Amino acid sequence: MINVVIAGFRGAMGQATVQTVRNQADMKLVAVFDPHATTADMTQLPDDVALWTTDVDVTAADVWIDFTTVEAAYHNAVLAIQHGIHPIIGTSGLTPQQQQELQQQAVTAHLGGLIVPNFGLSAVLLMKFAQEAAQYFPDAEVIEYHHGDKPDAPSGTASATAHLIAKSRQNAPQPTVHNEARGADIDDVPVHAVRLPGLLAHEEVLFGGSGELLTIRQDTMDRSSFMTGVLLATRKVATLNELQIGLDKVL
Amino acid sequence: MINVVIAGFRGAMGQATVQTVRNQADMKLVAVFDPHATTADMTQLPDDVALWTTDVDVTAADVWIDFTTVEAAYHNAVLAIQHGIHPIIGTSGLTPQQQQELQQQAVTAHLGGLIVPNFGLSAVLLMKFAQEAAQYFPDAEVIEYHHGDKPDAPSGTASATAHLIAKSRQNAPQPTVHNEARGADIDDVPVHAVRLPGLLAHEEVLFGGSGELLTIRQDTMDRSSFMTGVLLATRKVATLNELQIGLDKVL
Amino acid sequence: MINVVIAGFRGAMGQATVQTVRNQADMKLVAVFDPHATTADMTQLPDDVALWTTDVDVTAADVWIDFTTVEAAYHNAVLAIQHGIHPIIGTSGLTPQQQQELQQQAVTAHLGGLIVPNFGLSAVLLMKFAQEAAQYFPDAEVIEYHHGDKPDAPSGTASATAHLIAKSRQNAPQPTVHNEARGADIDDVPVHAVRLPGLLAHEEVLFGGSGELLTIRQDTMDRSSFMTGVLLATRKVATLNELQIGLDKVL
Amino acid sequence: MINVVIAGFRGAMGQATVQTVRNQADMKLVAVFDPHATTADMTQLPDDVALWTTDVDVTAADVWIDFTTVEAAYHNAVLAIQHGIHPIIGTSGLTPQQQQELQQQAVTAHLGGLIVPNFGLSAVLLMKFAQEAAQYFPDAEVIEYHHGDKPDAPSGTASATAHLIAKSRQNAPQPTVHNEARGADIDDVPVHAVRLPGLLAHEEVLFGGSGELLTIRQDTMDRSSFMTGVLLATRKVATLNELQIGLDKVL
């Protein structure tokens, strides 16, 4: 049985996590942590879930799942590490220096933990497979598809995928014509962004070799997909012996 | 029974057409036309196929299929029209003025004919459907996929498709972010070109509406596909009453 | 300006239609019809929208949009036709005999109307294009993709598409191996059903010819897509001169 | 420099391999092996390539690539192992017992080698990734696409993929409706086979999770793709210390 405390339990991701953790046979929600919450906020929760509002409350749990704010997340992670609770930080925005400090503290405490920029398992697997395929197929292109309202292009995930492909490949790709129809050139990986109403969030990587193609695609239909990643992290974080970054570290 | 004469019967497309026409139960190859051919070039053909080498040879046929050179094609088309033979001109490169002159001659002769820039039926249907869909879905993007050796981008067919979409749509597309990842902007239709080894010739059009997508895609695997279009044109050209441009005119 | 009355305005589809119609510059919501509603149900609506609860209330509107129950829909349609209001019946379940009676009444009244089994425009266009493509490509297969909870397979839309393809094609498809991996055989069109969590509602038709493929695909992400079809029907229904079945009748 | 001997150099795969090996800067074709060949068969080859026709000819090479017949391949592999040449057996049809005997001999000789049922790298990577994804997504379906002339369904590769997925997954898939539209049930993985003219050889695996999808697809356009696998095997076979089965063993 994994004993879990959730920080940020009143936000959208926190609420979904509370629901999901409670539905697992091998997990127990022992507490929620929120300095600003009162017992009035606990009406939806079972009686045996504790409300921790201060440092001194924090006692026994195995895993600390954090979906708070960038201001709170660093302090919360310090608190978790001090109490020997494995932190899983889903809150985004920690600075590189904050991340390094937390990693140092985790080393000192001999405690594993995870900072997770993306809980989408299909996206994380796509990136992992793309890196592996790039070792054999240096010629690759990325196409990402999002709703027309998305203000930037390409998506952060698509850019990250292109960087990983470039880093992983062992030969240079073949030269091709370059112009605006050929997309953004990210480390010699063309990245194309499609923006249309009706699209949700989709990413596709195409690898071409002599006489063959390999395509890896992922589609995110809604945020419920993130819960699969949260559960995976919760079940595996104790196997780590340092504070690592990325869901792929527990694959 | 459709009586066919083929000009340019020694070239790659001509040879394929000879083979294809001979395999049809409703067509008869009555002659080949080539001023430079001799009977020695006829060994692969049945005895009852005539070799026409001069204007005076040209007698009776229903359809004239032309896969010659731009120099020969205009003269051949004039000849066909003079003899009441429906011309199907697969040879590319006729100037707009040449096309207009031929069209005028066909009007005078009350004769239907077809100038066909693209015999690929799946590509022609894609363009036809894309125009129709654009009336209802003004938001569209085109992605074309070709081998890395193709020196230009986007393909002529993809550009033509974008122009047709723009012309057909009745409302302006929704504004989106514009930068190099968003492809070439052709009449407000983003066009993306993918270039990878292993690819053949593929084109995809995506239409997006509120909560739904419509995608039309065509893949050309090899040139045998063009014969489907040649047969279609041969069977339908007699239904036209002028010299028209595009295989879609007989759809 | 198109004056619209909506029946079933308290249901999910009715509410969405109210919202959508009110957002159009060329439409005006003049009334809602519901024998069981009271003014208390009208609080979300502007003051100038009338509540019609009995036959005698029904006065002037151009278009009657009906999302009620199968019991109410027939009577409502009769009412609309009697008052010269073009009916658009989105309610499902009318019997063939009821449909024929309504069609007869519309003929007598010289009034156009539309019974719409599927407002999804991308699905309707897919079926239209598939019929057209089948004339040239007799070899076709259908793949539909739905959530694992869907209890039947294949979907009604996929079956309907297969029937339309079979009816439209002019040549027999080539014989292929038949066994359970080859899907359901609907009029010699193999239909495959994929059922996975994460899927929404997707349909794909593949046409194969010598050396080429044509693929038409539609994805329904959510029910907001149906509103595009409702608006299209509302704008075009007055151009019909009888009561027809299917959104494709106004394409 | 890797010294290579090729057996079956006059067949289609052998000829392609000769060409490919000769084009590599890090490989040298030192000999071809064929008991029935004469110097007359060597005219296309450089002068410094030896022709080995008997056991006593066989001397020094690093790698033995075999594309012969099932009758010859076993004997050839024995010969290669006896001379300390790493065998890469692309010839299909060895019995399980023959494979085990060769594996035993390779163990005795402390020699690595590879029996390769499929040199298609994209297909091998697809199977590898599918096994990994199945650990996280137990719900999977396979769709394979081949030309209408293919007499069997599903393809051997698709069946093999389904078996690997079933073996790898750690949870049971969700129950779904079962009937002929749902394809062949291979270890609780539905497998669908599409057969159309125009198709080449394509395989797709879809994994579904809550709110997300992961799709892996490979397309084999022509047999030139197999050469990528041959080169990979040739470069990596010396790193093995036994005779293994499958190109994935050198990934």
Side-chain angles (χ1 to χ4, degrees):
Chain A
M1 185 67 61
I2 305 168
N3 292 313
V4 175
V5 52
I6 297 173
F9 76 104
R10 294 185 292 172
M13 285 296 286
Q15 283 182 42
T17 304
V18 163
Q19 209 58 44
T20 301
V21 165
R22 289 181 55 196
N23 285 337
Q24 307 307 311
D26 61 340
M27 297 184 190
K28 180 166 170 45
L29 179 62
V30 293
V32 292
F33 177 85
D34 188 336
H36 308 296
T38 67
T39 49
D41 299 308
M42 304 285 291
T43 49
Q44 306 295 320
L45 294 176
D47 289 346
D48 60 350
V49 176
L51 171 61
W52 295 345
T53 56
T54 72
D55 296 15
V56 296
D57 283 347
V58 177
T59 52
D62 303 308
V63 175
W64 179 296
I65 304 175
D66 202 281
F67 286 112
T68 57
T69 61
V70 64
E71 291 74 27
Y74 176 80
H75 176 259
N76 289 354
V78 170
L79 208 57
I81 293 170
Q82 284 174 347
H83 288 80
I85 305 175
H86 302 283
I88 296 173
I89 307 169
T91 311
S92 57
L94 290 182
T95 64
Q97 195 188 328
Q98 286 179 314
Q99 296 189 8
Q100 282 165 29
E101 285 175 20
L102 291 173
Q103 288 181 308
Q104 188 50 52
Q105 293 176 32
V107 164
T108 306
H110 302 292
L111 190 78
L114 209 54
I115 298 171
V116 184
N118 187 348
F119 278 105
L121 192 51
S122 60
V124 171
L125 283 173
L126 175 145
M127 281 192 269
K128 184 172 191 294
F129 295 160
Q131 285 177 81
E132 194 164 339
Q135 295 175 35
Y136 307 102
F137 293 112
D139 298 283
E141 305 209 6
V142 178
I143 312 177
E144 52 94 338
Y145 306 78
H146 283 89
H147 195 276
D149 293 340
K150 187 172 167 59
D152 58 325
S155 70
T157 310
S159 296
T161 306
H163 285 303
L164 290 171
I165 288 170
K167 216 167 138 185
S168 174
R169 65 186 162 197
Q170 297 169 357
N171 293 296
Q174 293 176 20
T176 58
V177 61
H178 274 75
N179 62 29
E180 59 181 359
R182 298 282 293 115
D185 182 325
I186 298 186
D187 291 355
D188 270 342
V189 178
V191 179
H192 311 269
V194 177
R195 294 285 174 273
L196 285 173
L199 287 169
L200 303 169
H202 322 260
E203 186 184 3
E204 197 170 47
V205 190
L206 291 93
F207 293 95
S210 179
E212 65 183 328
L213 290 172
L214 178 68
T215 306
I216 310 169
R217 179 183 173 112
Q218 73 82 223
D219 302 84
T220 303
M221 303 308 197
D222 64 60
R223 291 183 165 227
S224 74
S225 62
F226 299 157
M227 287 303 116
T228 310
V230 169
L231 290 176
L232 179 67
T234 304
R235 291 198 174 99
K236 295 282 192 70
V237 67
T239 66
L240 300 175
N241 45 30
E242 49 186 321
L243 178 63
Q244 296 204 315
I245 301 172
L247 190 63
D248 57 301
K249 299 306 184 302
V250 291
L251 289 182
Chain B
M1 184 67 61
I2 305 169
N3 292 313
V4 176
V5 52
I6 297 173
F9 77 103
R10 294 185 293 172
M13 285 297 284
Q15 284 182 42
T17 304
V18 163
Q19 208 59 43
T20 302
V21 165
R22 288 181 56 196
N23 285 337
Q24 308 306 312
D26 61 340
M27 296 184 190
K28 182 168 167 44
L29 179 63
V30 293
V32 290
F33 178 85
D34 188 334
H36 307 297
T38 66
T39 49
D41 297 310
M42 305 285 289
T43 50
Q44 305 295 320
L45 295 177
D47 288 347
D48 61 349
V49 176
L51 171 61
W52 295 347
T53 56
T54 73
D55 295 15
V56 296
D57 284 346
V58 176
T59 52
D62 301 309
V63 175
W64 177 296
I65 305 176
D66 202 280
F67 286 114
T68 58
T69 61
V70 65
E71 290 77 25
Y74 176 79
H75 176 259
N76 289 354
V78 170
L79 207 58
I81 294 171
Q82 285 174 345
H83 288 79
I85 306 175
H86 300 284
I88 297 173
I89 306 170
T91 310
S92 57
L94 291 182
T95 64
Q97 194 190 329
Q98 286 179 313
Q99 297 187 9
Q100 283 166 27
E101 285 175 19
L102 292 174
Q103 289 181 308
Q104 188 50 52
Q105 294 176 31
V107 165
T108 307
H110 301 292
L111 190 79
L114 209 54
I115 298 171
V116 184
N118 188 347
F119 278 106
L121 191 51
S122 61
V124 171
L125 282 173
L126 175 145
M127 282 192 270
K128 185 172 190 297
F129 296 160
Q131 285 177 83
E132 193 164 341
Q135 296 175 34
Y136 307 102
F137 293 112
D139 298 283
E141 306 210 5
V142 178
I143 313 177
E144 52 94 337
Y145 306 79
H146 284 89
H147 195 276
D149 293 341
K150 187 172 166 58
D152 58 325
S155 70
T157 310
S159 296
T161 306
H163 284 303
L164 291 170
I165 288 169
K167 217 165 137 185
S168 174
R169 63 184 163 199
Q170 297 169 356
N171 292 296
Q174 292 176 20
T176 58
V177 60
H178 274 74
N179 63 28
E180 57 180 1
R182 298 282 294 113
D185 182 325
I186 298 186
D187 289 356
D188 270 342
V189 178
V191 179
H192 311 269
V194 177
R195 294 285 174 273
L196 284 174
L199 286 169
L200 302 169
H202 322 259
E203 186 183 2
E204 198 169 46
V205 189
L206 292 93
F207 293 95
S210 179
E212 66 182 327
L213 290 172
L214 178 68
T215 306
I216 310 169
R217 179 185 172 111
Q218 72 83 222
D219 302 84
T220 303
M221 302 309 196
D222 62 61
R223 288 179 166 231
S224 73
S225 61
F226 299 158
M227 288 304 115
T228 310
V230 168
L231 289 177
L232 179 67
T234 304
R235 291 198 173 98
K236 295 283 192 68
V237 67
T239 66
L240 299 176
N241 45 29
E242 49 186 320
L243 177 62
Q244 295 204 317
I245 300 173
L247 190 64
D248 57 300
K249 298 308 182 304
V250 290
L251 289 183
Chain C
M1 183 68 61
I2 305 168
N3 292 314
V4 176
V5 53
I6 296 174
F9 77 102
R10 293 184 294 171
M13 285 296 286
Q15 283 182 42
T17 305
V18 163
Q19 209 58 44
T20 302
V21 165
R22 288 181 55 197
N23 285 337
Q24 308 306 312
D26 61 340
M27 297 183 190
K28 181 165 168 45
L29 179 62
V30 293
V32 291
F33 178 85
D34 188 335
H36 308 296
T38 66
T39 49
D41 298 309
M42 304 285 291
T43 49
Q44 305 294 322
L45 296 176
D47 289 346
D48 61 350
V49 176
L51 172 61
W52 296 346
T53 57
T54 73
D55 296 15
V56 296
D57 283 347
V58 176
T59 52
D62 302 308
V63 176
W64 177 297
I65 304 176
D66 202 280
F67 286 112
T68 58
T69 62
V70 64
E71 291 76 27
Y74 176 81
H75 176 260
N76 289 354
V78 170
L79 208 57
I81 294 171
Q82 285 174 346
H83 288 79
I85 305 175
H86 300 283
I88 295 173
I89 307 169
T91 311
S92 57
L94 289 182
T95 64
Q97 195 188 328
Q98 287 179 314
Q99 296 188 9
Q100 283 165 29
E101 286 175 19
L102 292 174
Q103 288 181 308
Q104 188 51 52
Q105 293 176 32
V107 164
T108 308
H110 303 291
L111 190 78
L114 210 54
I115 298 171
V116 185
N118 188 349
F119 279 106
L121 191 51
S122 61
V124 171
L125 283 173
L126 175 145
M127 282 193 270
K128 184 171 191 296
F129 295 160
Q131 285 178 81
E132 192 164 342
Q135 296 175 34
Y136 307 102
F137 293 112
D139 298 283
E141 306 210 4
V142 177
I143 312 177
E144 53 94 336
Y145 307 78
H146 284 89
H147 195 276
D149 293 341
K150 187 172 168 57
D152 59 325
S155 70
T157 310
S159 296
T161 306
H163 285 305
L164 291 170
I165 288 169
K167 217 166 137 184
S168 174
R169 65 184 161 197
Q170 298 169 354
N171 292 297
Q174 293 176 20
T176 58
V177 62
H178 274 75
N179 63 28
E180 58 180 1
R182 298 282 293 116
D185 182 326
I186 298 185
D187 291 355
D188 270 342
V189 178
V191 179
H192 311 268
V194 177
R195 294 286 175 272
L196 285 174
L199 286 169
L200 303 169
H202 321 259
E203 186 184 3
E204 196 170 48
V205 190
L206 291 93
F207 293 94
S210 179
E212 65 183 328
L213 291 171
L214 178 69
T215 306
I216 310 169
R217 179 184 173 112
Q218 73 82 220
D219 303 84
T220 303
M221 303 309 196
D222 64 60
R223 290 181 165 232
S224 73
S225 61
F226 299 157
M227 288 303 116
T228 310
V230 168
L231 290 177
L232 180 67
T234 304
R235 292 198 172 98
K236 295 282 191 72
V237 67
T239 66
L240 300 175
N241 45 29
E242 49 186 320
L243 178 62
Q244 295 204 315
I245 301 172
L247 190 63
D248 55 301
K249 299 307 183 303
V250 291
L251 289 184
Chain D
M1 183 68 61
I2 305 169
N3 292 313
V4 176
V5 53
I6 297 173
F9 76 103
R10 293 185 294 172
M13 284 297 285
Q15 283 182 43
T17 306
V18 163
Q19 209 58 43
T20 302
V21 165
R22 287 180 57 195
N23 285 338
Q24 307 307 311
D26 62 340
M27 297 183 190
K28 180 165 168 44
L29 179 63
V30 293
V32 292
F33 177 86
D34 188 334
H36 307 297
T38 65
T39 48
D41 298 310
M42 304 285 291
T43 49
Q44 306 294 322
L45 295 176
D47 289 346
D48 61 348
V49 175
L51 171 62
W52 296 345
T53 56
T54 73
D55 296 15
V56 295
D57 283 347
V58 176
T59 52
D62 301 309
V63 175
W64 177 296
I65 303 176
D66 202 282
F67 286 113
T68 58
T69 61
V70 64
E71 291 76 26
Y74 176 80
H75 176 259
N76 289 355
V78 170
L79 207 58
I81 295 171
Q82 283 174 347
H83 288 80
I85 305 175
H86 300 283
I88 296 173
I89 306 170
T91 311
S92 58
L94 290 181
T95 64
Q97 193 188 330
Q98 286 179 315
Q99 296 188 10
Q100 282 166 29
E101 284 176 20
L102 291 174
Q103 288 181 309
Q104 188 50 51
Q105 292 176 31
V107 164
T108 307
H110 302 292
L111 190 79
L114 210 54
I115 298 171
V116 184
N118 187 347
F119 278 106
L121 192 51
S122 60
V124 171
L125 283 173
L126 175 146
M127 282 192 268
K128 184 172 192 295
F129 295 160
Q131 286 177 80
E132 194 164 342
Q135 295 175 34
Y136 306 102
F137 293 111
D139 298 283
E141 305 209 6
V142 177
I143 312 176
E144 53 94 339
Y145 306 79
H146 284 89
H147 195 275
D149 293 341
K150 187 172 167 59
D152 59 326
S155 71
T157 310
S159 296
T161 306
H163 284 303
L164 291 170
I165 288 169
K167 216 167 136 184
S168 174
R169 63 185 163 199
Q170 297 168 357
N171 292 298
Q174 292 176 20
T176 58
V177 61
H178 274 75
N179 62 29
E180 56 181 1
R182 296 283 292 115
D185 182 325
I186 297 185
D187 291 355
D188 270 342
V189 178
V191 179
H192 311 268
V194 177
R195 295 285 174 273
L196 285 173
L199 286 170
L200 304 169
H202 321 260
E203 187 183 2
E204 198 169 47
V205 190
L206 291 93
F207 293 94
S210 179
E212 65 182 328
L213 290 171
L214 178 68
T215 306
I216 310 169
R217 178 184 174 113
Q218 72 82 222
D219 301 84
T220 303
M221 302 309 196
D222 63 59
R223 290 181 165 230
S224 73
S225 62
F226 298 158
M227 288 303 115
T228 310
V230 169
L231 290 177
L232 180 67
T234 304
R235 292 199 173 98
K236 293 284 191 71
V237 67
T239 65
L240 300 174
N241 45 29
E242 48 186 321
L243 178 62
Q244 296 204 315
I245 299 172
L247 190 63
D248 57 300
K249 299 307 183 305
V250 291
L251 290 183

